[in-house]
Amino acid sequence: MSPNDFEFQPGAILHDAIVGTFRAHGRSFDAWCKENDVLPSNARNATFGQSRGPKGRELLARLIEAAGPEFLRMAYAKRIAEYADTVKKGAA
């Protein structure tokens, strides 16, 4: 499965999953940005979906690839499930 076969929904959960994945691999989001000459604010805009044009989508794809798509899928799915549980408990 390629990174393009799985669609991540940009937003706070995806941003958190990407940052967490970098940390799990002993790196940081900001360090990746610096190493790749990317402004951290631009990278955050891409992960939050505030930059949805071609450059923002390309940057998001680079971030997903750098984080490791397979590991990121697991982290993202876990965060989505945690959020769903929180919403269910709040609705009860």
Side-chain angles (χ1 to χ4, degrees):
M1 177 181 267
S2 77
N4 295 331
D5 292 336
F6 184 92
E7 188 171 331
F8 293 99
Q9 179 64 40
I13 293 173
L14 177 58
H15 179 77
D16 184 51
I18 289 173
V19 169
T21 300
F22 276 120
R23 285 186 188 145
H25 288 106
R27 300 184 68 205
S28 78
F29 183 82
D30 288 338
W32 182 90
C33 290
K34 186 175 181 179
E35 292 165 9
N36 288 275
D37 296 319
V38 172
L39 291 173
S41 59
N42 289 344
R44 277 190 278 289
N45 286 343
T47 62
F48 277 94
Q50 295 168 330
S51 294
R52 292 185 182 248
K55 288 182 182 180
R57 287 192 310 265
E58 188 270 332
L59 179 53
L60 181 56
R62 287 176 54 203
L63 284 160
I64 290 168
E65 190 59 39
E70 293 299 323
F71 192 81
L72 180 59
R73 277 186 197 91
M74 290 185 292
Y76 180 73
K78 180 180 177 190
R79 283 169 175 81
I80 291 287
E82 288 169 354
Y83 178 74
D85 285 344
T86 301
V87 170
K88 272 194 242 177
K89 289 176 186 173

